[in-house]
Amino acid sequence: MSAPLDLGFLGLDQGAHLLIRRALRTVDAGGRITVTGGAPGLGAHLRAWARREGHGFAEVPGRTATWALVRGSAEADRWAGAERAGGAGPDGIVARPPAHWGLAARGSLVEAGGPPTRFEFDDRDVVWADLAPRLYAHAAAAQWDPATAVDWTADAALPADVEAAVVQVMTYLVENEQAALVIPAGLLARVHPHFREVQQLLAVQAADEARHMEVFTRRALLHGSEMGTSSVGGRTSLATLLTEPDFSLASFLLSVLGEGSFLSLLAFLERHAPDPVTAQVTRLARVDEARHVAFGVAHLEHQGSVDPALRGRLRAAIERRHDVLADTAGLNADVFDALVVLAAGAWTPEAIARGHAAVQELQHAMDDGRRQRLARLGFPPDEAAELSALHTRNFM
Ligand SMILES: [Fe+2]
Ligand SMILES: [Fe+2]
């Protein structure tokens, strides 16, 4: 028999069980260790502990303050039927993580039993993109602080009507950012946590939108206290995004088509910004939006490669939304006018003509971008052009 485990004066109420358990693990079930120690009442405590843990207990004849423990099988029995929840890294992802893995960390040893926790989006081919871990790391590294990333004192006193145009555009942006926050936030709660990086990415995406809401509101109120208008057409367009229950379709309509169009809009606003703050806030938002679009495209590219029926569903989603919105005004006319004013930069007929042409060009640029992204998802050019034309006139 090996030397007894000497607990010194450490009692079972002070953590002695850690040393005892560690010693028991050095023998097989049925194997025996001896324990010695001087803590008051240690023998009685050991007897009770051993019974609770399923180990045998015996006095050692002729020895004081020394007891024998025989390792039981309870610990091994407890983990019989346990399974690994896939592997810890992204290469350990399984196709369909079961509901009973629930909130267990990916790669952990999951004790059998326990409540099933149902997460609706539990299919790798629906939610996953190999780009997700890298996009998440990039997103986490690219977080900026609205208080310091923008030079809020870079003041430019604008003519009142130009300032009003900025306020109107900012009001419209905030409305759209709110939709862009609510949608990923809702989706991420329905994604199985096994697809951790997708949840993390969507969480950071929601945080991005929170900052966009902040900086656009702050720019709107930089020189005044009143926001611009919100139109029925704009809100109706966004309402159709909020009610899309399907992960892929929601992400397609929001990220690929809506946020994709916003990339052009934000670039336009940065280019025609009448003041440095407007240029800064639209640039910061555009960089974030590019990531949101990249994930949408990447995950639908992956899904399209394994599900040939996907394109038909995407097409139907665009058509359905177009039909619902057919009788609505689309873009708030105040927003359209404000964009023309910003691009015109002056109040002469020639300048307004230039501004108007620039907004037409912006709409072409949005259309080009949508067609390119649709082509990446496998739509032939003529179909991509047709579908892009059906996109909401509200841009988002
Ligand atoms: Fe945004
Ligand atoms: Fe976004």
Side-chain angles (χ1 to χ4, degrees):
M1 195 198 294
S2 56
L5 167 66
D6 187 355
L7 296 175
F9 289 93
L10 187 70
L12 272 163
D13 54 349
Q14 296 168 303
H17 67 281
L18 289 168
L19 293 172
I20 301 166
R21 228 175 246 160
R22 183 163 175 262
L24 279 167
R25 285 195 188 120
T26 64
V27 300
D28 293 329
R32 178 187 168 103
I33 64 166
T34 52
V35 177
T36 179
L42 182 62
H45 293 161
L46 257 184
R47 180 194 296 273
W49 180 85
R51 191 182 307 119
R52 207 169 54 239
E53 300 275 318
H55 303 297
F57 172 88
E59 310 273 354
V60 178
R63 303 275 299 275
T64 54
T66 302
W67 302 273
L69 293 173
V70 178
R71 184 176 179 183
S73 63
E75 189 182 20
D77 293 348
R78 180 179 166 209
W79 294 104
E83 61 184 328
R84 287 274 163 203
D91 53 349
I93 281 176
V94 305
R96 292 299 287 265
H100 70 262
W101 286 1
L103 294 165
R106 192 170 69 220
S108 64
L109 185 62
V110 182
E111 186 178 6
T117 312
R118 171 116 177 86
F119 289 95
E120 216 177 321
F121 304 136
D122 59 356
D123 182 343
R124 177 183 57 200
D125 289 337
V126 171
V127 298
W128 185 250
D130 288 334
L131 195 58
R134 250 185 310 144
L135 273 179
Y136 167 67
H138 183 232
Q143 297 295 294
W144 42 271
D145 176 0
T148 55
V150 179
D151 180 6
W152 297 102
T153 62
D155 201 64
L158 299 174
D161 37 26
V162 176
E163 177 66 18
V166 172
V167 170
Q168 179 56 60
V169 170
M170 292 296 146
T171 304
Y172 162 81
L173 290 176
V174 171
E175 182 170 312
N176 285 272
E177 295 298 347
Q178 286 173 170
L181 182 150
V182 169
I183 293 162
L187 292 175
L188 86 88
R190 295 155 67 201
V191 171
H192 197 300
H194 186 71
F195 306 109
R196 183 178 73 224
E197 294 84 350
V198 171
Q199 276 192 326
Q200 289 169 303
L201 184 58
L202 290 172
V204 177
Q205 181 168 332
D208 290 342
E209 309 301 7
R211 288 196 315 277
H212 301 171
M213 281 157 57
E214 177 187 344
V215 294
F216 293 150
T217 304
R218 203 160 157 184
R219 171 59 192 90
L221 301 177
L222 198 56
H223 303 294
S225 57
E226 205 159 85
M227 299 294 279
T229 65
S230 162
S231 72
V232 169
R235 294 200 312 281
T236 309
S237 179
L238 296 178
T240 59
L241 289 180
L242 295 182
T243 50
E244 177 51 67
D246 182 283
F247 186 88
S248 302
L249 299 184
S251 148
F252 175 61
L253 295 174
L254 173 73
S255 294
V256 177
L257 298 179
E259 292 177 316
S261 301
F262 261 54
L263 287 179
S264 306
L265 176 63
L266 293 165
F268 172 95
L269 290 169
E270 184 186 355
R271 189 161 61 244
H272 296 293
D275 61 289
V277 172
T278 297
Q280 288 169 33
V281 293
T282 49
R283 183 185 58 78
L284 286 164
R286 183 170 48 79
V287 173
D288 291 340
E289 292 307 333
R291 271 194 316 271
H292 307 170
V293 176
F295 175 63
V297 171
H299 117 252
L300 289 167
E301 249 182 337
H302 170 84
Q303 198 186 343
S305 69
V306 293
D307 174 12
L310 177 69
R311 273 196 297 283
R313 291 172 52 227
L314 299 181
R315 184 189 175 90
I318 296 185
E319 290 172 341
R320 206 161 50 234
R321 187 172 183 217
H322 175 261
D323 291 346
V324 170
L325 296 176
D327 296 325
T328 65
L331 186 68
N332 182 351
D334 292 340
V335 174
F336 184 91
D337 292 348
L339 293 175
V340 171
V341 168
L342 292 181
W347 288 96
T348 63
E350 296 75 24
I352 294 295
R354 256 198 332 268
H356 197 272
V359 176
Q360 304 288 317
E361 252 172 61
L362 163 64
Q363 284 167 304
H364 288 309
M366 288 175 168
D367 180 49
D368 277 347
R370 285 195 299 268
R371 283 189 286 133
Q372 278 170 31
R373 286 174 205 111
L374 287 164
R376 275 196 50 196
L377 301 186
F379 288 99
D382 53 336
E383 202 178 345
E386 181 201 339
L387 292 177
S388 172
L390 295 181
H391 182 62
T392 171
R393 283 161 295 162
N394 183 54
F395 306 154
M396 177 79 82

